[in-house]
Amino acid sequence: MAVQTVASTTDSAKTVDLGPAAALSCRECGHRVPLGPVFACEECFGPLEIAYDFSAYDAEELRKQIEAGPANIWRYAPLLPVPADVADKPNLNPGWTKLVKADNLARELGVTGGLYVKDDSGNPTHSFKDRVVAQALEAARAFGFTTLSCSSTGNLAGAVGAAAARAGFRSCVFIPHDLEQGKIVMAAVYGGDLVGIEGNYDDVNRFCSELIGDPAGEGWGFVNVNLRPYYAEGSKTLAYEICEQLGWQLPDQIVVPIASGSQLTKIDKGLQELIKLGLVEDKPYKIFGAQAEGCSPVSTAFKAGQDVVRPQKPNTIAKSLAIGNPADGPYVLDIARRTGGSVEDVNDEQVVDAIKILARTEGIFAETAGGVTVGVTKKLIENGVLDPTKTTVVLNTGDGLKTLDAVAGTGLTATIRPNLDSFREAGLA
Amino acid sequence: MAVQTVASTTDSAKTVDLGPAAALSCRECGHRVPLGPVFACEECFGPLEIAYDFSAYDAEELRKQIEAGPANIWRYAPLLPVPADVADKPNLNPGWTKLVKADNLARELGVTGGLYVKDDSGNPTHSFKDRVVAQALEAARAFGFTTLSCSSTGNLAGAVGAAAARAGFRSCVFIPHDLEQGKIVMAAVYGGDLVGIEGNYDDVNRFCSELIGDPAGEGWGFVNVNLRPYYAEGSKTLAYEICEQLGWQLPDQIVVPIASGSQLTKIDKGLQELIKLGLVEDKPYKIFGAQAEGCSPVSTAFKAGQDVVRPQKPNTIAKSLAIGNPADGPYVLDIARRTGGSVEDVNDEQVVDAIKILARTEGIFAETAGGVTVGVTKKLIENGVLDPTKTTVVLNTGDGLKTLDAVAGTGLTATIRPNLDSFREAGLA
């Protein structure tokens, strides 16, 4: 794909090659600006997102091109804000994770229409964050940044550290200084700078915003701040993969975890793109959002029939979803209502139970976020909200090895002496 | 592939469909017996291994069939002891993990001929054990077993628990009762029976052998005991994948970790099969074995020019390789000498350094076993034993999340207050 000059509303037109990405567009007022490391609309402070030019695509040619592509997210490069030769650049090549036909879990939950788990624990650093960081990395290359940064309390720190290491970027990741030692190790091992901030996660975020506006932050790409419009697009690849793995079909129902809400909105965007491009047949689908009860601002608003999401102080073991003031909450409410889905929450005990059910039935050890989606799926079926006769996809976005504490109560069935009598006494034969 | 009647040397010929597997053959005396859940030769007590009938295969047709197969080990079903319809049965579908072109690591180690990391942390339970357990599972199905079992101190317990859960088998795994809590949780979460034995790993193994001979163990498939001939074949898939991912070419040099030594011998077997089948061009290749200094019986024998491997009492952080009396040690010595490779070891400090080098250069967080192979590769280059101008593949067989303790010293670069002055003082700008 040739380098394109982006039409600009300002005098300083920039030349960047981010493939089909044509401009940034305000989600609220539609104001367009050239591609750049900005995230808020200069007119109304609304969130900017990528506007694409897909006009030249032919459905059959595009489908063939995708199917002949690599077994990672770059098979969808024509639909992402990345240059056409992205697969040749050093990166972690995430994605194309397994869509597991979960027949045992389906029997347990009473699903007859086909139940699938999209298992993103198979990504390089074992969470879906590798998908979004990979997009931010390409934007960072395009804008000439040399340091990759973020604020994080877990999965994102490792994903940024690993991606930067392989791509030859410096990384500098900011975390609350009192994180558990295990999480610090998982992020520090990649050798970038890992800076503990004396304060909580809000303090870390505030400091990062300050750093972006300061000369000290020049040349720094904060994947989830000034590169956020690019970063967020990575979640579209979950929608693309699910549909392609279903044989280029939309699922009837999909259950997605909600942290900031960005992932759910981008999955919807991805499904809409596939319909418009003619890669899947248009038919109704329902998107369900899943939260932990201890951080359920969106499900609370959904159940109350409100459009406004009231912030909460998180208190749940599902820490990767513990965003009390989710930026995309109102958009999630729109999508759940528009598609006929809903937003539901489960308590920590139900999260742990669901982790164990998934492990016991399918051999998949999920992070707490996966416990939230499986638990919510179970609850939605019991409440008659989710239709068990329809094709349903449940997302597991992380790996149980990262949240071992959640199932720390799991242990030995029995302890015996090393002889057959002791074995028989324990009733295990 | 039709069900085959296996030619038998005994009266009790059995009919099982394990694809191209024709019989069991003694590695020492060549005595053949029908396929069954046995592992030692009735004539000489030598180890039994699978003998195949590949006579009907045409190289070009086989290559096309493989390339059209699924993105997991079952693309190689025609070369494995499994039925032709194996991909339709519920299992974890391991394999087809990334072969990462490690240009940054190559620069660091001075390799100019192409350096690759075969990263088996991408398997479903994040170690290469998923490959071997998947073979044992199919043998267990064929022999009518209903319980899958093993003795283990780590990776294998989780791999068996997960595979059994998905396949609908009962699992009963035996471990030393005083394992670290984290390892117990990783194995227990799949819901099978997990039995702690009051004793050390040797006691656990002795008890399992006793159980196999007792009526209480009837119907039990011990993946690494009575199903070992089938189980071990899973390691061949590492050789197949490496060659296919290199464009159907043999690597010049390959560095493999040694625990029992089985993996290394089966990788050699896999490479030899590809040559004989005409799937790769025949040319010399060298196999290098890697051990930790604290458990280095094979490298000690290699360096001393001996054929006999003297047992050692293991004392190393590389616990997944800590087998002091490796059953396949003599075969490993043969292969290293025959191919012009060698066997080397590194100390625990070098293991930790190598884990950090791999993470820092390629964004791959390896288990201690991966630290051993990368560390040995570095040492072999420095000693002039491994040729840096040749194509080299290094195996990472596990995931750093499972051996976090090894890099527990890794930590924060700095701790600062949430303001720019404090940031500047720390010298991070």
Side-chain angles (χ1 to χ4, degrees), chain A residues 71-72 92-94 98 100-102 104 121-122 124-126 162 165-168 170 172 174-175 177 181-182 184-186 188-198 203 207 210-211 214 216 220 355-356 359-365 399 401-402 404 407-408 410-420 423-424 428-429, chain B residues 71-72 92-94 98 100-102 104 121-122 124-126 162 165-168 170 172 174-175 177 181-182 184-186 188-198 203 207 210-211 214 216 220 355-356 359-365 399 401-402 404 407-408 410-420 423-424 428-429:
Chain A
N72 56 53
L92 296 178
N93 293 322
K98 291 185 202 299
V100 177
K101 183 105 194 299
N104 298 332
S121 69
T125 73
H126 306 317
R166 180 148 169 80
R170 179 193 173 203
C172 188
F174 298 95
I175 58 175
H177 72 114
Q181 181 59 26
I184 289 177
V185 169
M186 288 180 212
V189 73
Y190 300 105
D193 283 318
L194 184 68
V195 180
I197 299 277
E198 292 174 359
D203 295 317
F207 168 74
E210 212 182 329
L211 186 52
D214 189 87
W220 289 42
I355 290 174
K356 291 182 186 171
R360 169 165 59 74
T361 54
E362 302 297 341
I364 297 171
F365 184 20
D399 198 291
L401 293 180
K402 295 193 178 190
L404 278 181
V407 287
T410 315
L412 297 175
T413 312
T415 302
I416 65 171
R417 293 179 304 284
N419 62 60
L420 290 167
F423 177 73
R424 286 197 192 88
L428 292 159
Chain B
N72 57 53
L92 296 177
N93 294 321
K98 291 185 202 299
V100 177
K101 182 105 193 302
N104 298 330
S121 68
T125 73
H126 307 317
R166 179 150 170 80
R170 178 193 174 204
C172 187
F174 298 94
I175 58 173
H177 73 115
Q181 181 59 25
I184 290 178
V185 169
M186 289 180 211
V189 73
Y190 300 105
D193 282 319
L194 184 68
V195 180
I197 300 277
E198 291 173 0
D203 296 317
F207 169 73
E210 212 183 332
L211 186 53
D214 189 87
W220 289 43
I355 291 174
K356 290 182 187 170
R360 170 166 58 75
T361 54
E362 302 297 341
I364 297 171
F365 183 19
D399 199 291
L401 293 180
K402 295 193 178 188
L404 277 182
V407 287
T410 315
L412 297 174
T413 313
T415 303
I416 65 170
R417 294 180 303 285
N419 62 61
L420 291 168
F423 177 73
R424 284 196 192 91
L428 292 158

Side-chain angles (χ1 to χ4, degrees), chain A residues 27 81 93 114 156-157 169 204 250 252 268 359 363 381 393-394:
Chain A
R27 183 144 188 168
N93 293 322
L156 186 57
F169 277 62
V204 178
L250 292 168
D252 296 317
D268 181 59
I381 292 167
V393 176
V394 181

Side-chain angles (χ1 to χ4, degrees), chain B residues 130-216:
Chain B
D130 292 325
R131 297 178 183 273
V132 285
V133 170
Q135 316 299 318
L137 175 67
E138 296 313 314
R141 279 196 235 263
F143 300 135
F145 291 141
T146 50
T147 297
L148 214 58
S149 185
C150 70
S151 54
S152 172
T153 63
N155 284 330
L156 186 57
V160 166
R166 179 150 170 80
F169 277 62
R170 178 193 174 204
S171 72
C172 187
V173 169
F174 298 94
I175 58 173
H177 73 115
D178 55 357
L179 270 196
E180 302 95 306
Q181 181 59 25
K183 288 197 175 165
I184 290 178
V185 169
M186 289 180 211
V189 73
Y190 300 105
D193 282 319
L194 184 68
V195 180
I197 300 277
E198 291 173 0
N200 60 26
Y201 184 60
D202 287 338
D203 296 317
V204 178
N205 272 322
R206 262 193 300 272
F207 169 73
C208 287
S209 299
E210 212 183 332
L211 186 53
I212 288 171
D214 189 87

Side-chain angles (χ1 to χ4, degrees), chain A residues 20 52-66 75-80 236 240 248 250 269-282:
Chain A
Y52 293 94
D53 179 3
F54 293 155
S55 57
Y57 292 151
D58 169 79
E60 274 317 299
E61 274 175 32
L62 181 58
R63 188 193 318 235
K64 272 185 210 157
Q65 184 183 344
I66 290 169
R75 65 199 287 112
Y76 307 108
L79 305 176
L80 295 169
K236 291 196 310 177
Y240 301 154
W248 292 110
L250 292 168
K269 187 178 180 185
L271 297 176
Q272 290 293 326
E273 287 173 350
L274 294 185
I275 293 170
K276 283 183 197 127
L277 286 161
L279 288 174
V280 298
E281 201 180 329
D282 192 5

Side-chain angles (χ1 to χ4, degrees), chain A residues 313-331:
Chain A
K313 195 168 151 44
N315 179 22
T316 168
I317 58 169
K319 292 194 197 303
S320 64
L321 303 182
I323 297 183
N325 188 13
D328 284 351
Y331 302 123

